[in-house]
Amino acid sequence: MSLFATLSRSVALAVMLVVTSPAALAQLEPTDEQRQAAVEIADSLRYGHYADITFDEAWSQDAFQRYLDILDGQRAYLLRSDIEPYRHLETGMADALFNGELDDAFDLYNTFSDRQRSRLESLLAKLDEGLDFDFESNERLEIDREEAPWASRQSELDELWRKRLKNDALTLALTDQDSEQIEDNLRQRYEGQLTRLEQTESEDVFGVLMAAVTSSIDPHTGYLSPRQGESFDIQMSLSLEGIGALLQSDGEYVKVSSLVPGGPAERAGVLEPADRIIAVGQEEGEMVNVVGMRLDNVVDLIRGPKGSVVRLDVVPAQAVDMTRSQTVEITRDTVSLEDQAAHGEVIEVERDGEPHRLGVINIPTFYVDFDAWQAGEEEYRSTTRDVAKEVERLKEEGVEGIVLDLRNNGGGALQEANSLIGLFIDRGPTVQVRDAQGRIQLYGDSEAGTLYDGPLGVLVNRLSASASEIFAGAIQDYGRGLVLGTPTFGKGTVQTLNELSHGQIKLTRAKFYRISGDSTQNRGVEPDIDFPSLIDPERIGESSLDNALAWDTVQNVQYRRYGEPETMLDKLIAQHDARAEDNANFRYLERQSTLARQLREQHTSVSLNREQRKREMEAQEAEQLSLENQRRRALGLEELDEWMDARTDATESVTEGIEDAEATQDSEGESDEDDALAVDRAYVLESAEILLDYARLQDTQRLAAKR
């Protein structure tokens, strides 16, 4: 992704307006500290990275291409002739890195920067003249140009930008803004990007170059500048207030990659993974357009003191057009251990007129109070200790099985995942960790006995990562229980943070493997029974990241199997499918997931004709609205007039404090307020149903074995 990601706008201007003017930006040059850091980064990658990297011409070609993609991924600024003088880097990037010879790479950046400044100035000049688009032509604008060839002539880029400017004006017009508002908003956007461009420093260029170098190897290895390193330390100590959302670049946009469990954004219920943030504002004042803004600058705008309010203009993940945004408010806060603590509940499932009690324990993250533990306190908080207490309580309440809900659990302390497995098995290995030299370290549970040996389910989704995947994989390998939900994230690598003479490097050093020998990397953990999901695996997850390390295997280890749930899967899946067919929320999830995928595949360009654009938007949203209202009719809920109202209603319900999830267990008579949690709750309730099926099949098998 570009440091100053491409603008999605266009204008036709004379070639002379695009030629770099005498007032061009100051030419940035690498410092001696950066040259030395580049050599150190090269050595770290060669001798410390998990992957066996060959720094040959093929690698140089990949790194050079990556650099171009970060600079101008949409092929909107640079001409082929701008790139030609630097083609020697295609075969010589490795030598330049190891020798600290960064001048040519910086020069290429300077060329890009000059082109970007000229384009921004020309856009502003066009706005000064006044826009006169009629939005009546049959033109279309290609959305994604990552695979487009580099333009040979300036006129090609001028035509592209004419369409882009027209598209941006149309996008704003469709939100009922008049001509003056449109021009003011676009001027603010371009002036803001020009200001940020003029503030670029040598360290920014070095960061972009090193991002190309490191991300050509794997997405979790990266250079942190001194400023970024300081910010990273603050985040790790949890002393910085914010909204509790992890963000990443997505072309010219910043999108939500995940929410911190127990954080302000999750509690507010106003953000979801893959949402795109297009503007940020404080409690008062104007919103700042962040399209094309650097990720770290967007993060700085969102951060602030505890108790203050930040406003975000957000395009929902399921929206098919950037005009469909809504403004949400989040009160900044810290995330305490209590917010992330495991907590349980009892769910009643009726079968044959008889009630059955199932336990569900939600585990938002794998945590441990390191300070209390190191101080020798006996009652320190940890995931394993808190889950153990919940298990004991649920056993006392006579539950027939327990579901461990690891959805959205992005990992945490490996030792806690390891010890948590020990609550459900009687000694044994839990995970293998292989380093760059091929040495494998085996972790396991050494304590005799189990806390709970009854029917067990593990509920996961695409945002279950790292330690969550280790836990789910071990339970599956041991045959100790059922894994339910969707394929997990696929984060199966280990990183360390190493100091450089200038900045730091986050380096992938090892890889996780299950006791069966399978890696969790890239593929994640496949559930025994699949649930539909609205999270797009092509946009969220390890396999969606460029240059993610591949899935592979190592030798399995010896371990004892506790059961063979796979022998019951045909019956369990048949029973689940029958229930899902009659469950309005599950039908909605399945159909919405299919529809969202189809709409994304179809949405490769946008019309620049106002009426045609409106018809396309209305047709797409009519399909989404139809699905939502089918679900609401089946649940006896009031139907919606617009698709976006579904997100708004859910947001309002959550922010009003709708916490009584028990009310959603029975679909009959659900209120609109309960509906905010109903779809999400469907996963938990169906998991309890499946676990009861599983427990009864186990009882049947045991009785048959005694005969």
Side-chain angles (χ1 to χ4, degrees), residues 15-30:
V15 172
M16 64 179 185
L17 288 176
V18 182
V19 175
T20 305
S21 66
L25 295 168
Q27 300 298 287
L28 298 170
E29 299 178 351

Side-chain angles (χ1 to χ4, degrees), residues 234-252:
I234 293 173
Q235 291 178 51
M236 292 304 291
S237 66
L238 297 179
S239 62
L240 180 71
E241 286 82 29
I243 64 170
L246 300 181
L247 309 177
Q248 69 182 70
S249 296
D250 184 18
E252 64 187 333

Side-chain angles (χ1 to χ4, degrees), residues 372-671:
W373 174 63
Q374 291 175 340
E377 296 180 19
E378 292 186 3
E379 296 302 319
Y380 67 88
R381 297 292 297 274
S382 75
T383 299
T384 304
R385 285 169 168 250
D386 289 347
V387 170
K389 292 176 183 177
E390 292 296 314
V391 168
E392 293 285 17
R393 181 178 67 82
L394 293 173
K395 285 165 62 176
E396 290 176 2
E397 296 198 29
V399 299
E400 298 176 49
I402 294 177
V403 175
L404 302 175
D405 187 351
L406 297 181
R407 289 176 301 160
N408 307 324
N409 184 323
L414 175 60
Q415 69 187 61
E416 286 303 307
N418 184 62
S419 60
L420 187 64
I421 295 167
L423 299 182
F424 307 101
I425 66 169
D426 184 10
R427 292 182 181 174
T430 55
V431 65
Q432 305 180 73
V433 181
R434 183 184 186 273
D435 66 17
Q437 286 70 47
R439 297 171 300 206
I440 294 179
Q441 186 173 1
L442 186 63
Y443 292 82
D445 167 45
S446 59
E447 293 188 16
T450 60
L451 179 65
Y452 178 75
D453 59 6
L456 186 68
V458 181
L459 178 58
V460 296
N461 67 0
R462 188 63 170 174
L463 298 177
S464 303
S466 195
S468 295
E469 297 175 285
I470 290 170
F471 181 87
I475 295 299
Q476 192 174 59
D477 290 338
Y478 273 111
R480 180 59 191 84
L482 293 169
V483 176
L484 313 170
T486 66
T488 59
F489 191 95
K491 171 67 164 61
T493 55
V494 184
Q495 283 74 39
T496 61
L497 196 62
N498 301 331
E499 293 290 335
L500 302 168
S501 62
H502 180 77
Q504 299 170 305
I505 184 169
K506 183 159 64 81
L507 198 63
T508 297
R509 298 297 299 270
K511 210 170 181 181
F512 290 130
Y513 293 86
R514 294 163 56 163
I515 55 177
S516 63
D518 288 353
S519 171
T520 57
Q521 170 62 18
N522 213 310
R523 292 188 186 179
V525 176
E526 294 285 341
D528 298 305
I529 299 179
D530 284 299
F531 288 176
S533 173
L534 297 183
I535 299 177
D536 181 6
E538 294 185 6
R539 298 173 68 184
I540 299 291
E542 188 78 6
S543 60
S544 72
L545 302 176
D546 292 336
N547 299 315
L549 296 185
W551 177 90
D552 63 348
T553 63
V554 296
Q555 181 64 42
N556 67 311
V557 297
Q558 291 187 338
Y559 57 95
R560 164 194 168 193
R561 291 270 295 178
Y562 286 81
E564 296 180 343
E566 61 274 10
T567 63
M568 308 178 195
L569 287 182
D570 287 345
K571 291 182 179 178
L572 291 172
I573 291 172
Q575 291 170 312
H576 159 67
D577 287 344
R579 277 191 303 272
E581 184 60 32
D582 292 331
N583 186 309
N585 285 318
F586 257 79
R587 291 201 309 272
Y588 167 79
L589 286 166
E590 290 170 347
R591 294 170 183 172
Q592 176 64 13
S593 177
T594 300
L595 175 60
R597 184 175 62 253
Q598 291 173 344
L599 291 178
R600 284 191 298 271
E601 291 171 352
Q602 297 168 5
H603 197 61
T604 59
S605 67
V606 292
S607 174
L608 300 181
N609 178 291
R610 181 196 291 264
E611 295 306 316
Q612 178 63 24
R613 180 78 159 268
K614 287 174 64 176
R615 284 194 295 271
E616 291 176 3
M617 287 169 49
E618 289 168 356
Q620 292 165 343
E621 291 187 2
E623 293 184 74
Q624 293 173 307
L625 178 63
S626 175
L627 277 183
E628 172 63 22
N629 281 335
Q630 287 175 36
R631 181 181 75 89
R632 299 177 76 87
R633 282 195 298 273
L635 296 174
L637 300 174
E638 183 179 349
E639 295 186 30
L640 301 177
D641 294 326
E642 293 189 26
W643 171 73
M644 284 291 287
D645 290 342
R647 180 75 173 259
T648 303
D649 285 359
T651 296
E652 291 175 350
S653 296
V654 172
T655 54
E656 288 167 5
I658 305 304
E659 298 175 349
D660 185 11
E662 283 295 328
T664 66
Q665 289 183 29
D666 185 353
S667 63
E668 293 184 7
E670 283 183 343
S671 68

Side-chain angles (χ1 to χ4, degrees), residues 227-471:
R227 175 194 172 196
Q228 291 171 325
E230 179 182 346
S231 176
F232 184 83
D233 291 340
I234 293 173
Q235 291 178 51
M236 292 304 291
S237 66
L238 297 179
S239 62
L240 180 71
E241 286 82 29
I243 64 170
L246 300 181
L247 309 177
Q248 69 182 70
S249 296
D250 184 18
E252 64 187 333
Y253 299 102
V254 168
K255 77 176 179 182
V256 178
S257 60
S258 64
L259 303 178
V260 176
E266 186 190 59
R267 293 198 304 269
V270 295
L271 287 182
E272 295 179 4
D275 284 355
R276 285 158 291 182
I277 300 172
I278 60 175
V280 178
Q282 306 313 310
E283 191 164 4
E284 297 180 355
E286 295 290 326
M287 299 282 281
V288 177
N289 189 288
V290 298
V291 177
M293 186 181 289
R294 282 172 30 181
L295 178 61
D296 55 349
N297 288 337
V298 177
V299 171
D300 286 342
L301 285 175
I302 293 175
R303 286 175 178 164
K306 179 179 179 180
S308 62
V309 173
V310 62
R311 292 177 295 140
L312 306 176
D313 195 10
V314 176
V315 178
Q318 301 302 322
V320 293
D321 195 282
M322 295 305 294
T323 62
R324 309 303 280 163
S325 68
Q326 58 186 162
T327 300
V328 302
E329 293 187 355
I330 301 174
T331 300
R332 300 178 177 102
D333 200 356
T334 53
V335 181
S336 68
L337 193 60
E338 191 63 37
D339 293 327
Q340 299 190 323
H343 55 279
E345 63 172 315
V346 175
I347 290 177
E348 287 196 356
V349 175
E350 186 174 309
R351 291 290 175 85
D352 304 322
E354 297 291 330
H356 297 265
R357 295 165 67 82
L358 285 303
V360 176
I361 302 176
N362 180 263
I363 307 174
T365 186
F366 288 93
Y367 56 87
V368 60
D369 188 341
F370 283 108
D371 292 338
W373 174 63
Q374 291 175 340
E377 296 180 19
E378 292 186 3
E379 296 302 319
Y380 67 88
R381 297 292 297 274
S382 75
T383 299
T384 304
R385 285 169 168 250
D386 289 347
V387 170
K389 292 176 183 177
E390 292 296 314
V391 168
E392 293 285 17
R393 181 178 67 82
L394 293 173
K395 285 165 62 176
E396 290 176 2
E397 296 198 29
V399 299
E400 298 176 49
I402 294 177
V403 175
L404 302 175
D405 187 351
L406 297 181
R407 289 176 301 160
N408 307 324
N409 184 323
L414 175 60
Q415 69 187 61
E416 286 303 307
N418 184 62
S419 60
L420 187 64
I421 295 167
L423 299 182
F424 307 101
I425 66 169
D426 184 10
R427 292 182 181 174
T430 55
V431 65
Q432 305 180 73
V433 181
R434 183 184 186 273
D435 66 17
Q437 286 70 47
R439 297 171 300 206
I440 294 179
Q441 186 173 1
L442 186 63
Y443 292 82
D445 167 45
S446 59
E447 293 188 16
T450 60
L451 179 65
Y452 178 75
D453 59 6
L456 186 68
V458 181
L459 178 58
V460 296
N461 67 0
R462 188 63 170 174
L463 298 177
S464 303
S466 195
S468 295
E469 297 175 285
I470 290 170
F471 181 87

